[in-house]
Amino acid sequence: MFKKMLAVAWVVLVIMGISEKTFAQQKTTPSKDTEAVVEDGGTGPYKAIMAVETTLPTHTVFHPKNLNLFNTKNRLPIIVWGNGACANSPWEHVNFLSEVSSYGFLVVAIGTISEDKTDNRKSTSSQLTDAINWAIAQNNDKKSAYYNKIDVKKIAVSGMSCGGLQTLEVASDARVTTVVVCNSGIFKTPGNGISNMPKLTKESLKKIHSPTLYILGGVKDIAYDNGMDDYQQINHVPIFMANMDVGHGGTYREHHGGEFAKLAISWYKWQLKGDKEAAKVFEGEPAGLSKNPKWRFEKKKIP
C-alpha cells in the first residue's frame, strides 16, 4: 500500500464528530501513514476510508478499505468530484463522498482536507482530468495497490455548484461515461462575473455525450434557474432532473450524505455497474423515485 498522508487531527475530529466551528479553530501538522474513517465508513457493503495518496497529493481519495476484495472480475469504477465554491478541499462533502465509496467506487475529489476554511485557493477543472489520469495510471501500475482493480471504462465526472460547472467543462472528455451535476447549471451570462468560475456558455451542453443526472435543491437553490434551463436545452442524451426542496447546500453534510447521496449512489450503481435494481429508481412511468415524496423529477430519453 502506498504511503498516505492526512492530518491526524482530522482523523480525530471525524471520529469524535467535533463541530465545524471547533474544527476551523484547530491547527494540525500533516503526518504520513494516516487514514481517516468518515462517520462509520458508510452504509454500503465495503467500509470506506479517506486518504491522500503520495502519488496524488493534490487530491483526496475515498476507497473501500479492503482493496483485496477487488480484482479483474470486481473492479472499482472511477468517480471524480469537484467542490462547491471551486474550493481546493472537499471538506464540505466528505460524508457524501465516503458514503458513495462504500458502495464499491473509487472516488477522487479535488483538493485535500484542510482545517483552514478561510483558505482562498481555488481549484480548476483540469484537476478533474488529473484525477482521471491518475486513476487510470494506478490501474496499470504493477506497484500500485490499485493494480488491475479499477474499471477504467466506467468513469463519472461529478461536482457541486462551481464544481458542477467544472464537471460540465470536462464532460466532453471521451473517457467519461456519465455526468452528475449537483446544485449547478451554466449561467446565461458566462461566469456571471465570478472570476474563478469556468466561463461556459450554453453551447457547452452540446458537448455532453453520456447519460446525465442533475440534482438540485429546489426553487430556493440559487442554481435552480440555471440548472433547469440546462435541462431544457439538453435533448441529445439521456437526462434525469431531480429536485428536493433543501436549497443550495443540499444534504452533503447530513449523516451518510442524506438523500442526495442515496440518489447519486443509485445513479452511479446503474450507470457504472449496470445494476438493474438501481435503474428502477430512474426508469418506468412513473420512475421509481416517485415513491419518495421528498423528490420531484423530470426525465428525457430514459425509458
Side-chain angles (χ1 to χ4, degrees):
M1 174 69 71
F2 283 101
K3 285 189 175 182
K4 300 176 180 181
M5 302 182 298
L6 202 64
V8 175
W10 171 250
V11 180
V12 176
L13 291 165
V14 168
I15 294 172
M16 294 179 64
I18 294 175
S19 71
E20 177 189 334
K21 181 177 180 180
T22 302
F23 178 60
Q25 294 171 348
Q26 300 299 313
K27 297 299 180 182
T28 63
T29 302
S31 176
K32 294 182 180 180
D33 300 323
T34 60
E35 299 171 343
V37 176
V38 178
E39 298 187 290
D40 55 4
T43 64
Y46 310 101
K47 291 300 182 182
I49 61 173
M50 173 178 69
V52 176
E53 297 280 2
T54 57
T55 50
L56 191 68
T58 54
H59 292 62
T60 300
V61 179
F62 300 79
H63 68 77
K65 184 173 184 177
N66 187 0
L67 290 174
N68 292 326
L69 297 174
F70 298 89
N71 49 49
T72 55
K73 295 182 180 180
N74 182 29
R75 293 181 181 268
L76 290 161
I78 302 165
I79 299 171
V80 298
W81 177 264
N83 310 301
C86 297
N88 207 31
S89 172
W91 70 269
E92 284 191 289
H93 311 291
V94 294
N95 290 5
F96 173 91
L97 299 174
S98 175
E99 177 69 5
V100 169
S101 181
S102 76
Y103 282 83
F105 298 99
L106 176 67
V107 181
V108 187
I110 290 176
T112 56
I113 298 300
S114 170
E115 75 281 3
D116 183 6
K117 306 302 185 298
T118 63
D119 189 339
N120 292 320
R121 290 176 299 173
K122 299 301 180 182
S123 61
T124 64
S125 303
S126 63
Q127 288 173 271
L128 292 173
T129 304
D130 292 342
I132 295 172
N133 293 340
W134 174 82
I136 293 173
Q138 290 299 299
N139 184 65
N140 296 329
D141 185 351
K142 293 182 178 180
K143 297 180 181 180
S144 171
Y146 303 103
Y147 177 61
N148 270 347
K149 296 178 179 181
I150 298 174
D151 191 342
V152 299
K153 294 183 178 180
K154 295 295 183 180
I155 301 173
V157 60
S158 315
M160 181 264 182
S161 194
C162 179
L165 294 179
Q166 292 173 336
T167 292
L168 290 167
E169 189 163 35
V170 302
S172 60
D173 190 315
R175 300 170 296 181
V176 171
T177 54
T178 192
V179 175
V180 177
V181 178
C182 302
N183 307 100
S184 191
I186 296 176
F187 292 101
K188 294 181 180 179
T189 301
N192 199 33
I194 303 174
S195 61
N196 55 281
M197 286 190 175
K199 302 299 187 291
L200 302 179
T201 68
K202 295 293 183 177
E203 287 295 307
S204 301
L205 298 172
K206 296 178 180 179
K207 298 179 181 180
I208 297 173
H209 60 82
S210 57
T212 299
L213 169 67
Y214 272 72
I215 306 177
L216 301 180
V219 294
K220 294 181 180 179
D221 187 339
I222 58 173
Y224 178 80
D225 289 341
N226 294 332
M228 292 304 296
D229 186 64
D230 283 6
Y231 174 79
Q232 295 302 322
Q233 297 200 36
I234 298 173
N235 296 297
H236 61 290
V237 295
I239 182 169
F240 195 97
M241 166 63 74
N243 266 282
M244 181 179 172
D245 293 327
V246 292
H248 192 60
T251 67
Y252 309 100
R253 289 197 248 181
E254 291 182 12
H255 191 45
H256 295 136
E259 290 290 334
F260 275 38
K262 292 177 183 178
L263 185 62
I265 288 166
S266 292
W267 182 268
Y268 291 135
K269 287 172 67 177
W270 177 31
Q271 295 296 322
L272 300 178
K273 290 177 176 277
D275 189 312
K276 294 182 179 179
E277 193 63 28
K280 293 178 181 179
V281 174
F282 308 97
E283 293 181 331
E285 293 296 342
L289 190 60
S290 62
K291 297 177 182 179
N292 187 334
K294 295 179 181 179
W295 292 98
R296 56 185 175 84
F297 61 88
E298 303 173 52
K299 62 177 182 172
K300 301 178 190 176
K301 296 186 178 295
I302 295 176

